[in-house]
Amino acid sequence: MFTGTLLMFYYHPSKVVAFRDILYLESDVPFGKLLRNMHRWGAHLMVIMVELHMFRVFLTGSYKKPREFNWVVGVLLLVLTLLLSFTGYLLPDDQLGFWAVTVGTNMARATPLLGHAGPFGPQLGMTPFNDVRFGLLGGSIVDSNALLRAYIWHCVAIPIIASLFMIVHFWRVRKDGGISGPAPMVLEKEIKEPRKV
């Protein structure tokens, strides 16, 4: 968040100047390239750490009773983390971001129930002008509306939603008795026979 906040001082979410702002940041702002790379690598590390955390929780069985609700909250946080990464990809407004968002949103139109090309989408009245792809892009193509929506989702909406879910997640960890680990191992020789009375 810290590096992203600093990057906001040098960025305008406009199709006319977004890429020019990135070039200015990398070439003319002192330590600008370092700042951008710190943000990018921090984002990659965040995705890796969330995935490793989910893997650890799965391996230790910490998703089982009574922590099922917190597991669902954690999965939602993983999805929000991936959405943060996805929305940040378009912001430099370069060819890599353009095509990544084009492919990603084309996949979104095949979402069940929400996309016009997905299962049950047409039956629910989904068209190319009211489905989830249209909602993500603010239109039918990747243009200035998509850039502005990605910026708002990346900088405002998803961080607020993720913060609320993190509060619930940490509260549930505390309520469920702290961080869980693997079940303690008991050797056969340590098992005591019940006394006969």
Side-chain angles (χ1 to χ4, degrees):
M1 267 176 62
F2 179 71
T3 56
T5 303
L6 293 177
L7 287 173
M8 289 170 76
F9 285 105
Y10 300 101
Y11 182 79
H12 301 87
S14 164
K15 200 74 173 156
V16 177
V17 294
F19 185 66
R20 196 168 37 193
D21 285 348
I22 298 300
L23 294 177
Y24 171 71
L25 178 75
E26 288 187 344
S27 59
D28 294 339
V29 174
F31 302 106
K33 190 167 191 160
L34 175 67
L35 182 64
R36 179 170 182 235
N37 285 332
M38 285 174 57
H39 188 69
R40 190 168 55 92
W41 282 104
H44 293 320
L45 284 173
M46 182 174 155
V47 170
I48 290 168
M49 294 307 291
V50 170
E51 288 174 349
L52 286 175
H53 173 66
M54 295 291 286
F55 188 59
R56 196 263 327 154
V57 169
F58 179 76
L59 286 181
T60 59
S62 301
Y63 58 90
K64 296 176 183 170
K65 199 171 189 174
R67 294 180 164 88
E68 304 100 328
F69 175 74
N70 213 17
W71 170 258
V72 173
V73 173
V75 170
L76 291 173
L77 282 168
L78 172 65
V79 170
L80 289 170
T81 302
L82 295 174
L83 283 172
L84 270 172
S85 222
F86 181 71
T87 54
Y89 221 68
L90 178 61
L91 297 183
D93 198 32
D94 55 1
Q95 285 293 307
L96 184 65
F98 172 83
W99 289 109
V101 171
T102 300
V103 170
T105 55
N106 281 338
M107 289 168 45
R109 71 179 174 190
T111 305
L113 305 175
L114 301 175
H116 75 275
F120 307 110
Q123 289 83 355
L124 294 173
M126 293 296 158
T127 68
F129 304 105
N130 70 354
D131 68 347
V132 68
R133 181 177 188 271
F134 189 85
L136 287 170
L137 295 178
S140 55
I141 59 171
V142 180
D143 63 355
S144 57
N145 286 340
L147 185 63
L148 184 59
R149 286 199 182 199
Y151 183 74
I152 292 169
W153 277 111
H154 187 76
C155 298
V156 179
I158 295 174
I160 289 172
I161 296 167
S163 296
L164 294 173
F165 275 107
M166 281 189 280
I167 290 168
V168 171
H169 193 63
F170 296 140
W171 170 72
R172 285 301 304 192
V173 167
R174 184 94 179 178
K175 188 172 184 333
D176 292 335
I179 297 174
S180 65
M185 185 146 175
V186 179
L187 298 175
E188 192 175 322
K189 65 182 180 182
E190 294 174 340
I191 300 174
K192 295 181 180 174
E193 293 291 326
R195 282 195 267 166
K196 296 179 183 175
V197 181

